[in-house]
Each structure stands twice: as C-alpha cells, then as structure tokens.
Amino acid sequence: GFLQSYAVEVDVKDASNVTCLYAQWMMKFLIKYETNSSDYKNASLDLPSTVTHDGSVCGNDTQAALLAVQFGGGHSWSVNFTETNETYQADFIVFTYNTNDAAVFPDAKRKGRLVTVVVKDSMHPIQLNNVFVCHHTTSFEAENVTQFFWNITMQPFVQNGTIGKTETRCHADTPTAAPTVVPTAANVTTTSTTTSSPAPTTAPKPVENPVTGNYSLKSGNKTCLLATVGLQLNVSQDKPLLININPKTTSTDGTCGNTSATLKLNDGNSTLIDFTFIVNASASVRKFYLKEVNVTLLNHLNGSVILNADNNNFSKWDAFLGNSYMCRKEQTLEINEDLQVHTFNLWVQPFLVKENKFAIAEECLADSDLNFLIPIVVGIALCFLIILVFISYIIGRRKSRTGYQSV
C-alpha cells in the first residue's frame, strides 16, 4: 500500500527560546528487504502526520548543527550541518529503520533489527543567513535504500532568531520546472521515461582536499604533543565515500608518555580517529613511529557505531626521538579493506616537545626527492644556459674573424 507522506516542520530553539535551526520539507523512503521466503520486497516508508525532533542541536562556528527526527515504529532520520568561512552546508544524512515495523515490513526475515544507512550530502555551500530552498525532487541511494526529498526550505545557524529573507535555490529549481511528482515504488522501478519518474540529480561536487588543522596535547601546563595535518577518510561501501575532517568542529584528547602517546580526534561526535605512537626502545638509536590508527564512525542521533576499523601494525612516520616528522605530500594509511585515511601537509611530534614548538623536521622520502630534484633541475638549466652562451660566443668570434680576413 501507499501511505500519504506529510510535510515535516521542525523549529529548533536555543536556551533563550529563539529559533536557531528551521526546516520544512517532505521525504519518503523505498527500502528493499528480505522476507521469510528468502526473496526480496520493496517497502515504501512515508512520514506520518506527527514526528518528534529529539536530539536536534543548534550548532555554532565550532560545533556542527544537527537536525534529527523520529517517526513511525522506531525509525529516525538526521542531517548535520557545518559552518565554514561564512557559509554552511549539509554533511551527512543518517537514516535508521526498524524491520520490526510490520506495517512497513510485512513478513520481514530479520525482525527487530535496526539498520542504519549513511550517505554524504552533495549540497553546495550556502551563504550564512540565506535560506536553502529546493522544490524539485532529490534522491540518494545506498545499501538497498533510496531516499527522496522535495519542497525543502531550511536554514541552520539562524542568527538572532530571525529566518533569513534571501533564498538560495538548488540547481534543479527553474521558473519552468514541472510540478513535483510524489515518488512511488511504481515510478521508481519502471524504465519508462515519462515525467512520473523522479528527476535526475546533479552530479555531486568533487571533494576537495581537507583543511589543515593544528592539534596539541598538554601534560600539566606543558605541551607534550604537536600535530598539524589535513585528514580525509575514504570509506569503501556500496559507493565510495570521502569524508573531510573539519578542524573547526574537531576536539582533541589523548595521553602522553615516555614511550607511547595517543592523539584522539573527535569531529562533532560523528568521527573518532586515534593515532598511537611508540618509541623503539630496543634499537641503539631511539626513534618514534606511528604504530596504530583506529577510526570509528558514529550515528549522530543515538551514538551507535556505524563503522569501526583498526590497524595496529603500522611502522610509519618515523623520526629520531627529539625531532619531528614532516610530509607535505599526500599519504595513505590502509586501515582495512573498507577504510583508508589520507593525510595532507603532515607535521607531527609526539615526544619531547620544547617551548610549544616543533623540533627539527625529518622529511618523508617524497618531500626529500622533491627537495633534491629542484636544485638538480635548476643546475641543469644553468648548465644549458652556459653552453648556449658559450656556443653563441664561439659563433660570434668566428664571424668576427671572417670579417677581418675579408678586409
């Protein structure tokens, strides 16, 4: 059966009881699930007339805003927004559905199971104080779930409780756009090219390199660990997903010791990354190196673990104890077959930090090769220039000598 999808309106207020996040939109979900007979059916999940928005967060320039709604028989949906350089944009959409809802999943094989789907929103940055409006249908597909959204009006990071007057329209909205057609299971699965099919979405914007962040740990009043790095996660699920870690929304924690140190990064309670360094005490010359990396992705709404990956067999980023390690080139850390961590503009010193400053840097091979290559290229160019000058001089001298002989 097809249930009526209602419009959702959420008005999140801050401690002063003024609006800090406003949204009104319509959405529905098409979910492919397994039945007791081991075949698969398509379920249509629509919004009821009432929803709750527990767990929604206002957000600010250092904390992500979160729009979260709960509805039906144990289903929930959320999207978080980040603020950067006078703009905001949606980051991740997290949808959790409960197969124990017999009205939506009749004859489901796996009863009482909560399934969480995470997708990266392709929303372009919107100017702060502008309202994002999109009447056209937008869809996301991942892990047997297709999510549809239309008639969207939303603004996070509302200033002084006043919704902005200026609208920023999505690319799909045009003055001549056809009326929105509510998606159904029939017009999604058909191969017909009639207007009842959901409109295609624009291609997602390529993910840029992450912003470089500065992180540090203290032991008492003294800095004991320094790190400067841009971080990007590459999650290989049904579709590749690139996640840039935002330094403005990332907090630091960890431990410092004489032979081991751990830097813990928490990006808005959604992405946790731990870097563990140790000192090679058995060698005649003591050096430190990266030993272990642990990455955890969390559900914004309930804090449940979506993905956890760990690799404790690294032997990278090594330098003599008392020095720092630097690598400006992009590096890749293979955590497991489903997750990679890419680093950019890395500079780290986990031990023996003095006066809150990095010590002498030992550069990675890629940077060293570049440093050697530049003077070599310059030297070759200078030699070539000298040879050209010498040849020109010889030719000019011969012409001069020929002229004298003619006289």
Side-chain angles (χ1 to χ4, degrees), residues 61 96 99 103 125 156 172 179 271 282 318 339 352:
D61 57 353
T96 299
T99 57
T271 305
S282 61
D318 61 307
L339 180 67
L352 301 182

Side-chain angles (χ1 to χ4, degrees), residues 43 122 165 201 233 250 256 388 391 399:
S122 57
K165 303 296 184 183
T201 58
L233 306 185
T250 300
C256 293
L388 285 178
I391 292 174
K399 287 183 178 180

Side-chain angles (χ1 to χ4, degrees), residues 20 28 87 113 130 205 224 240 249 283 303 319-320 327 345 368 399:
C20 61
K28 69 170 289 156
T87 64
R113 182 188 178 200
N130 283 14
K205 181 181 178 181
C224 57
T249 59
F320 290 109
C327 195
N345 300 318
S368 300
K399 287 183 178 180

